[in-house]
Amino acid sequence: MHAIFAGHDEHELVRELEAVGFTVHVVDGVANRPGLEEAGIVDADLFVLTDVGQATGIPVAKDLNPDVRVVVYSDDSLPEFVSGQADLAVDPALLDSATVAEELAGN
C-alpha cells in the first residue's frame, strides 16, 4: 500500500500509517502538481492531507490518479470547492492517528 502525505504531521500519522504497512512518501513543500508527481501520486492508493490550506492538491491528485482515496485529517473545515472530492474527512479530536491508520489499512 502506497500513501502520499501532505501537510503537518503533529499527530504522527505518518508513523502510524507505516506501522500498519503503508509505504509513505511525504510531499516536499506544497501539494501542487510537481510536488505530488515527485512524491508518486500516480501510483498511490491513498492521499492524506492534514493542511486544508493545501486543499487545491485534492483535485490535482484526483486528476493525476482518479482512483486515489483522499483522506483529510484535520480539525479545520475543508473548503467547499473540494469537499465533494475527499473520500473521508476525520477530526483528530474524534479519532487518534493509530485508529485512523488501522481503518485505512483495513485492519
Side-chain angles (χ1 to χ4, degrees), residues 36-51:
L36 289 168
E37 287 177 330
E38 186 174 315
I41 194 68
V42 173
D43 298 317
D45 302 298
L46 180 67
F47 175 47
V48 178
L49 181 69
T50 61
D51 179 359

Side-chain angles (χ1 to χ4, degrees), residues 7-100:
H8 307 289
D9 193 19
E10 65 189 70
H11 300 285
E12 299 184 359
L13 185 53
V14 169
R15 179 182 58 118
E16 297 296 344
L17 289 168
E18 290 173 337
V20 296
F22 281 94
T23 300
V24 182
H25 291 91
V26 177
V27 174
D28 186 25
V30 179
N32 56 18
R33 182 172 291 270
L36 289 168
E37 287 177 330
E38 186 174 315
I41 194 68
V42 173
D43 298 317
D45 302 298
L46 180 67
F47 175 47
V48 178
L49 181 69
T50 61
D51 179 359
V52 297
Q54 295 191 47
T56 55
I58 294 172
V60 173
K62 286 288 198 176
D63 182 52
L64 293 168
N65 180 349
D67 297 324
V68 73
R69 186 172 180 198
V70 176
V71 176
V72 178
Y73 190 63
S74 176
D75 54 2
D76 294 323
S77 296
L78 260 176
E80 181 138 346
F81 77 96
V82 294
S83 62
Q85 295 179 353
D87 296 294
L88 180 64
V90 180
D91 186 332
L94 299 177
L95 287 175
D96 64 33
S97 57
T99 302
V100 171

